[in-house]
Amino acid sequence: MGYRIVVAGATGNVGREMLNILAERQFPVDEIAAVASSRSQGEVIDFGDSGKTLKVQNIENFDPTGWDIALFAIGSEATKLHAPRFAAAGCTVIDNSSLYRMDPDVPLIVPEVNPEAIAGYVKRNIIANPNCSTAQMVVALKPLHDFAKIKRVVVATYQSVSGAGKAGMDELFEQSRNIFVGDSAEAKTFTKQIAFNVIPHIDSFLEDGSTKEEWKMVVETKKILDPKIKVTATCVRVPVFVGHSEAINIEFENEISAAQAKRILREAPGIMLVDKHEDGGYVTPVECVGDYATFISRVREDSTVDNGLSLWCVSDNLRKGAALNAVQIAELLGRRHLKKAA
Ligand SMILES: NC(=O)c1ccc[n+]([C@@H]2O[C@H](COP(=O)([O-])OP(=O)(O)OC[C@H]3O[C@@H](n4cnc5c(N)ncnc54)[C@H](OP(=O)(O)O)[C@@H]3O)[C@@H](O)[C@H]2O)c1
């Protein structure tokens, strides 16, 4: 016996990937509903490669009573309106927006890192999915932290435009085409031209000069992994369609060599180590698209600090950074907490 699943935001980048991944992983689904805004009501979309199609329903008219799990990817504003209604009707919400991530009564889960924290979902019947940059980083940090205890992390991100939804992908495509034919490159979704450029600004600015995206990496890493870890981040948007990259520098309390780190990472869940000291012996974002893994390359010792390591981390932001992590949470919830067997 399977579950009755709702995918909210099914017409978006993350929603579409959630449908693909539910089908790929043969999640035990008895019934599935695709919901979005009134704009896409009646549209017909694929349930991954299952051969089934789904008619999109308007979330405003959708009654969640009797549905088991809702995977939400509709942005914070719409989530605020609908998640409490779904949760109160007994349908557990797994949310991709930032709305509930730092709520002490909502667990923030990366299944490879803090699966035990999921038990806290009963307080609000809501589980939060972390920010895409945080998700892949904590997968990489967790096994190293277990071995040598991380003191401080310095990270610079290279984030793809799909992190800003369909509109971000369209803007990179249109600007690139316009520039080639000599037209102007108007910026709408991003604050400056993104084609053939990089922008050191994601989300809004905070009083201390950092951005909300950078703040999310700091506070979410503490909530998921360890409140004692210090994190400083610089988040940058780059003209890549899908796949976030991160240059991560880590300072540990205890000794750890690059060789030890590689051995640990090779065995760690969710990680694929690709690290050859030769041309092309590392992973780039175009190679991670459509994959489940968090790829690690360029692991090396940093001799400028005691017990320091640097590494390169790449993952599909629509998958581990959002849809895959949400489906893994649903699998964990099914195994540990819901009555039907997942
Ligand atoms: N992209 C990423 O890497 C990433 C990573 C982590 C988390 N997230 C989060 O996931 C969410 C979705 O991101 P995305 O990249 O999939 O965006 P997107 O491609 O722009 O898609 C947005 C989806 O939300 C739906 N939606 C918008 N307003 C709605 C409303 N008022 N009521 C119901 N549905 C509404 C849209 O439906 P219509 O088609 O009907 O407009 C569409 O299905 C956001 O909260 C984002 O922060 C994204």
Side-chain angles (χ1 to χ4, degrees):
M1 191 166 160
Y3 298 100
R4 298 185 77 215
I5 304 286
V6 183
V7 173
T11 52
N13 273 342
V14 174
R16 193 188 54 239
E17 281 301 332
M18 294 198 293
L19 289 167
N20 288 339
I21 292 169
L22 286 166
E24 271 167 34
R25 292 170 79 92
Q26 298 182 340
F27 190 90
V29 170
D30 266 2
E31 196 178 348
I32 187 152
V35 304
S37 78
S38 55
R39 288 180 292 273
S40 35
Q41 183 170 4
E43 259 180 45
V44 176
I45 56 171
D46 290 331
F47 176 21
D49 60 4
S50 68
K52 287 188 198 136
T53 55
L54 306 167
K55 201 177 230 184
V56 178
Q57 304 177 56
N58 180 353
I59 197 168
E60 282 167 30
N61 308 328
F62 188 85
D63 179 2
T65 311
W67 292 81
D68 298 304
I69 300 173
L71 302 168
F72 266 52
I74 58 174
S76 293
E77 260 178 57
T79 301
K80 200 175 195 171
L81 280 179
H82 299 290
R85 180 168 76 81
F86 275 62
C91 176
T92 305
V93 172
I94 300 173
D95 180 34
N96 276 284
S97 81
S98 58
L99 186 66
Y100 294 107
R101 289 181 193 151
M102 296 314 294
D103 184 326
D105 290 336
V106 173
L108 178 63
I109 301 295
V110 175
E112 294 89 341
V113 180
N114 63 339
E116 67 296 334
I118 200 172
Y121 86 98
V122 290
K123 289 190 192 141
R124 297 196 65 169
N125 206 19
I126 297 174
I127 302 165
N129 214 33
N131 180 261
C132 38
S133 314
T134 310
Q136 68 184 69
M137 184 169 82
V138 295
V139 169
L141 295 182
K142 161 77 175 162
L144 302 174
H145 184 53
D146 287 347
F147 182 81
K149 208 153 192 233
I150 295 172
K151 279 190 352 199
R152 177 169 185 255
V153 174
V154 182
V155 56
T157 69
Y158 306 72
Q159 296 181 223
S160 69
V161 294
S162 57
K166 280 186 303 197
M169 297 179 83
D170 291 347
E171 187 151 315
L172 174 59
F173 180 80
E174 276 159 28
Q175 282 186 359
S176 305
R177 192 184 49 190
N178 288 353
I179 289 168
F180 267 121
V181 297
D183 280 352
S184 63
E186 198 194 342
K188 283 185 255 164
T189 299
F190 301 112
T191 50
K192 296 211 176 199
Q193 177 187 318
I194 185 65
F196 311 103
N197 201 9
V198 297
I199 305 173
H201 172 194
I202 301 178
D203 211 331
S204 51
F205 276 99
L206 304 178
E207 255 177 35
D208 68 355
S210 63
T211 64
K212 200 158 173 214
E213 186 80 355
E214 290 157 358
W215 173 82
K216 285 177 204 165
M217 290 193 80
V218 175
V219 295
E220 292 179 18
T221 300
K222 286 175 182 286
K223 180 166 175 179
I224 298 165
L225 189 52
D226 188 335
K228 292 203 195 88
I229 295 178
K230 292 180 187 163
V231 180
T232 176
T234 302
C235 292
V236 181
R237 189 72 72 191
V238 297
V240 166
F241 281 103
V242 178
H244 286 1
S245 308
E246 298 176 340
I248 308 177
N249 179 268
I250 316 161
E251 204 179 326
F252 295 89
E253 198 128 341
N254 305 314
E255 252 178 61
I256 179 168
S257 67
Q260 280 169 322
K262 284 190 206 182
R263 266 200 300 279
I264 292 162
L265 292 167
R266 207 171 273 123
E267 300 300 319
I271 290 177
M272 183 73 78
L273 184 78
V274 179
D275 196 1
K276 292 189 185 137
H277 299 171
E278 61 187 38
D279 292 353
Y282 39 81
V283 171
T284 61
V286 290
E287 295 153 283
C288 78
V289 177
D291 215 300
Y292 288 161
T294 293
F295 292 91
I296 311 281
S297 307
R298 306 282 328 276
V299 180
R300 61 212 190 273
E301 283 152 33
D302 172 8
S303 60
T304 65
V305 289
D306 287 339
N307 310 322
L309 284 180
S310 292
L311 54 85
W312 176 248
C313 173
V314 178
S315 197
D316 182 331
N317 53 295
L318 299 177
R319 293 203 152 213
K320 189 57 196 169
L324 171 64
N325 200 67
V327 173
Q328 286 177 304
I329 292 173
E331 290 168 348
L332 184 65
L333 182 73
R335 276 199 305 277
R336 295 205 182 174
H337 296 283
L338 300 183
K339 286 188 205 96
K340 304 165 193 177

